[in-house]
Amino acid sequence: MDVRVFKLTNGEEFIAEVAEVNEEGVDFKHPVVLVSDGVGGHSFTPWIATAKQTEFWIKSGDIRFMEEAVDELDEAYTSMFGAKSAIVVPDSKIILG
């Protein structure tokens, strides 16, 4: 898994798994933003919280830099989205009691 930190020309930063890089741009999956919890910890939140889409493309000209994530972030991200992860998303059904 190739986890990278992105900084865009508009100032946005996010972490994502890079799927493909070419001259025109970058395909990436599961972008998240690092958010402080206010007491010294951090968590991830979706880069675009209202989108169903989990795979994106950005043209090269919009990327200021794309670098490897520090080990701590890489490990946390990989544990959430890696192949060995067992994240289960339940159906959105109402449970009646």
Side-chain angles (χ1 to χ4, degrees), residues 9 21-26 57-65:
T9 56
V21 178
N22 59 44
E23 290 179 11
E24 296 176 8
V26 178
W57 178 83
I58 289 187
K59 66 181 179 177
S60 295
D62 291 334
I63 301 170
R64 182 165 290 157
F65 70 80

Side-chain angles (χ1 to χ4, degrees), residues 6-20:
F6 289 78
K7 177 82 170 190
L8 303 183
T9 56
N10 67 4
E12 288 185 79
E13 287 185 36
F14 61 89
I15 303 162
E17 176 186 355
V18 172
E20 184 179 347

Side-chain angles (χ1 to χ4, degrees), residues 27-93:
D27 288 312
F28 56 94
K29 299 188 253 185
H30 306 293
V32 295
V33 177
L34 187 65
V35 179
S36 173
D37 66 7
V39 291
H42 295 87
S43 62
F44 292 134
T45 188
W47 178 48
I48 302 175
T50 56
K52 284 184 177 182
Q53 184 176 338
T54 59
E55 297 185 22
F56 299 87
W57 178 83
I58 289 187
K59 66 181 179 177
S60 295
D62 291 334
I63 301 170
R64 182 165 290 157
F65 70 80
M66 178 181 72
E67 297 293 332
E68 290 183 16
V70 295
D71 292 341
E72 181 181 346
L73 290 178
D74 190 319
E75 290 168 10
Y77 183 93
T78 301
S79 72
M80 282 185 78
F81 298 107
K84 295 180 182 177
S85 177
I87 297 174
V88 177
V89 179
D91 292 333
S92 59
K93 296 180 181 176

